[in-house]
Amino acid sequence: MAKRVAIVGAGVSGLASIKCCLEEGLEPTCFERSDDLGGLWRFTTEVCRVTKRPDFTVTGQWEVVTLHEGKQESAIFDAIMVCTGFLTNPHLPLDSFPGINTFEGQYFHSRQYKHPDIFKDKNVLVIGVGNSGTDIAVEASHVAKKVFLSTTGGAWVMSRVSESGLPWDMLFMTRFHNMLRNSLPTPVVTWWMSRKINSWFNHANYGLAPENRTQMKEPVINDELPGRIITGKVLIKPSIKEVKKNSVIFNYTPKEQPIDIIVFATGYTFAFPFLDETVVKVEDGQASLYKYIFPAHLEKPTLAVIGLIKPLGSMIPTGETQARWAVQVLKGVNKLPPRSVMIEEVNARKENRPSGFGFCYCKALQSDYITYIDELLMDINAKPNLFSMLLTDPRLALAIFFGPCTPYQFRLTGPGKWKGARNAILSQWDRTFKATRTRTVQESPFPFAILLSLFLVLLVAVFLIFL
């Protein structure tokens, strides 16, 4: 059983890993190279090397060499949790932009962006329609002379506020909707998704409609972008053909546009420079990890990678669930399957073959949020059993199946069980509305409420039978 655990990185996954280790009686030490958040923290400490001990095949132990204030130190740990994530190295593909070396203005990666004042009265080009790119473009549009937002493949843009003014993720991320999506053919799901998103504004009219609509891409969450586009404050443009001294030429539009600042919102790459490739090897934007967590080939399962996944849902509970599952393995409570079984699953995930149903996750590290978390919860007996719950606690079963799939559900049972989880699930809408109901309004009673409730109970019973 592992006792002393080294945690590399103090982001959200690192913090969750610290918490999970402490809950299970392990002794975590967190190494963070910046001077920000940490655990049993060692600030401004860079991890230089993590290597197997000579007796690794027996003990599973690791040697961790760190650098702090110019001084190297070495320590022995029973297990390692790598929590550096996939947003580690800014991706700046300058070779893809002919003429960028002749540009006399300022250009930088979105990671360097801090405040919109630098855009005041400037002509700004933001390259990349992801969440970072659109956020920067919208902020810049309030102070800049002109803002161009360049995209190669387009994107779906969603508002944080959905039907009836409710948070979109609380409506979209439910077990009912997830089951429905995964039961329908992919063309039907993509048609339904595009119709739903276009009900806010027609993406084709705004130059944003994705070119490939069958592959699920992380949606852009931005309430202001359509308003900035329709008022001419942000101009959507295609990819860049050429960069000149003080201007750019976009593809399919021969006119030069004067540009003072270029922001590359072109994403990130990741690597594990402190690990040998024989431990974890990164290829084609992913690593060979069982359940996206454990290297399948190690003689001892004492190294876990947390947060190296892109779920269609919140990363924070995903990383926390990964850590919770991994700690049970590190403690020796749960056993991993044989190496051949793990390698087979790893290869299947890397192939990413579309099933023909539900969303098509064809990019590296992409995963279905609820389905993936349920996989991990089942292994530690923490997945809620809706069928038995329907018989013993139907109110809670309905709230779990039709309501938001919030992390409270993951604490109803299993290691880390929380006695307040049930009440938290049943009262989550009250807390959501508390922020907006600052004036009391009398609502008209709904005469068919009882009939509707009975119908929903019957519907749930039918669906649960086929789960």
Side-chain angles (χ1 to χ4, degrees), residues 7-18 30-32 37-38 41 83-84:
I7 296 174
V8 184
V12 292
S13 295
L15 295 176
S17 297
I18 294 168
C30 183
F31 298 99
E32 171 56 48
L37 288 175
W41 291 272
C83 306
T84 51

Side-chain angles (χ1 to χ4, degrees), residues 4 29 53 57 59 76 85 101 134 152 166 175 177 194 206 212 219 283 286 292 304 333 389 414 420 426 434 451:
R4 299 187 66 226
T29 300
R53 292 276 291 160
T57 56
T59 64
I76 306 302
N101 293 329
T134 53
T152 301
L166 301 176
R175 292 183 178 277
H177 281 125
S194 61
Y206 283 64
N212 189 338
E283 290 181 304
Q286 56 190 318
Y292 294 108
V333 176
M389 195 180 294
L426 296 178
K434 188 175 178 62
L451 290 175

Side-chain angles (χ1 to χ4, degrees), residues 340-386:
S340 59
V341 174
M342 291 193 289
I343 291 175
E344 184 179 349
E345 189 204 272
V346 167
N347 292 335
R349 286 191 189 273
K350 288 171 74 173
E351 287 177 6
N352 258 334
R353 293 178 182 173
S355 67
F357 290 87
F359 288 130
C360 178
Y361 299 99
C362 298
K363 298 278 181 76
L365 304 182
Q366 283 187 330
S367 179
D368 184 300
Y369 172 71
I370 295 178
T371 303
Y372 174 71
I373 284 185
D374 277 353
E375 278 184 35
L376 301 181
L377 294 178
M378 285 181 67
D379 283 351
I380 59 174
N381 297 315
K383 181 188 175 189
N385 188 327
L386 293 184

Side-chain angles (χ1 to χ4, degrees), residues 26-326:
L26 303 184
E27 299 172 3
T29 300
C30 183
F31 298 99
E32 171 56 48
R33 64 183 178 183
S34 72
D35 59 358
D36 212 343
L37 288 175
L40 253 181
W41 291 272
R42 299 196 181 181
F43 292 126
T44 61
T45 301
E46 181 180 354
V47 175
C48 304
R49 292 191 308 279
V50 176
T51 55
K52 297 177 183 177
R53 292 276 291 160
D55 57 354
F56 179 82
T57 56
V58 177
T59 64
Q61 290 184 326
W62 302 82
E63 180 180 11
V64 178
V65 178
T66 57
L67 179 66
H68 177 67
E69 295 180 349
K71 181 182 178 182
Q72 277 199 352
E73 294 182 358
S74 175
I76 306 302
F77 290 91
D78 301 314
I80 309 290
M81 298 181 79
V82 179
C83 306
T84 51
F86 54 84
L87 303 177
T88 52
N89 303 319
H91 179 51
L92 201 60
L94 298 182
D95 292 343
S96 301
F97 298 89
I100 188 66
N101 293 329
T102 66
F103 185 61
E104 295 181 350
Q106 183 181 2
Y107 67 84
F108 54 87
H109 190 271
S110 57
R111 185 170 185 169
Q112 297 173 261
Y113 170 74
K114 299 299 180 186
H115 199 275
D117 285 352
I118 61 170
F119 301 133
K120 188 172 177 58
D121 300 324
K122 303 287 187 181
N123 293 307
V124 180
L125 167 62
V126 180
I127 300 174
V129 182
N131 282 290
S132 296
T134 53
D135 283 348
I136 293 171
V138 166
E139 284 197 0
S141 69
H142 291 281
V143 296
K145 184 188 298 184
K146 189 175 289 188
V147 176
F148 299 96
L149 183 56
S150 170
T151 176
T152 301
W156 293 123
V157 179
M158 300 175 65
S159 171
R160 292 174 176 83
V161 181
S162 188
E163 298 171 13
S164 302
L166 301 176
W168 81 269
D169 55 337
M170 293 184 76
L171 295 180
F172 180 82
M173 206 60 65
T174 71
R175 292 183 178 277
F176 170 70
H177 281 125
N178 191 69
M179 186 198 68
L180 194 62
R181 286 192 297 268
N182 291 335
S183 301
L184 295 173
T186 299
V188 175
V189 175
T190 52
W191 169 82
W192 170 78
M193 185 74 172
S194 61
R195 185 173 180 273
K196 196 81 172 172
I197 295 177
N198 277 325
S199 65
W200 183 28
F201 70 94
N202 188 305
H203 283 59
N205 291 341
Y206 283 64
L208 286 167
E211 289 183 1
N212 189 338
R213 304 187 191 185
T214 61
Q215 293 188 7
M216 187 59 201
K217 185 181 177 183
E218 180 186 5
V220 172
I221 311 298
N222 196 296
D223 296 271
E224 288 191 69
L225 184 61
R228 306 311 288 174
I229 294 173
I230 203 170
T231 55
K233 301 297 183 181
V234 173
L235 304 174
I236 303 298
K237 291 291 183 180
S239 56
I240 311 299
K241 181 179 181 180
E242 186 181 358
V243 180
K244 297 198 171 184
K245 285 186 178 181
N246 301 293
S247 63
V248 299
I249 301 175
F250 296 99
N251 280 312
Y252 320 115
T253 53
K255 182 181 177 182
E256 291 185 29
Q257 297 288 352
I259 297 294
D260 301 305
I261 300 176
I262 301 176
V263 182
F264 288 89
T266 44
Y268 295 80
T269 59
F270 68 91
F272 306 109
F274 48 86
L275 287 173
D276 190 89
E277 283 193 350
T278 59
V279 177
V280 177
K281 186 176 182 179
V282 178
E283 290 181 304
D284 300 323
Q286 56 190 318
S288 298
L289 302 171
Y290 175 65
K291 302 289 187 188
Y292 294 108
I293 299 173
F294 281 98
H297 62 281
L298 289 182
E299 303 94 325
K300 294 285 186 179
T302 56
L303 184 141
V305 179
I306 308 298
L308 193 63
I309 187 174
K310 297 178 182 178
L312 183 61
S314 176
M315 185 60 233
I316 296 176
T318 302
E320 197 263 356
T321 304
Q322 286 186 318
R324 189 175 165 201
W325 180 82

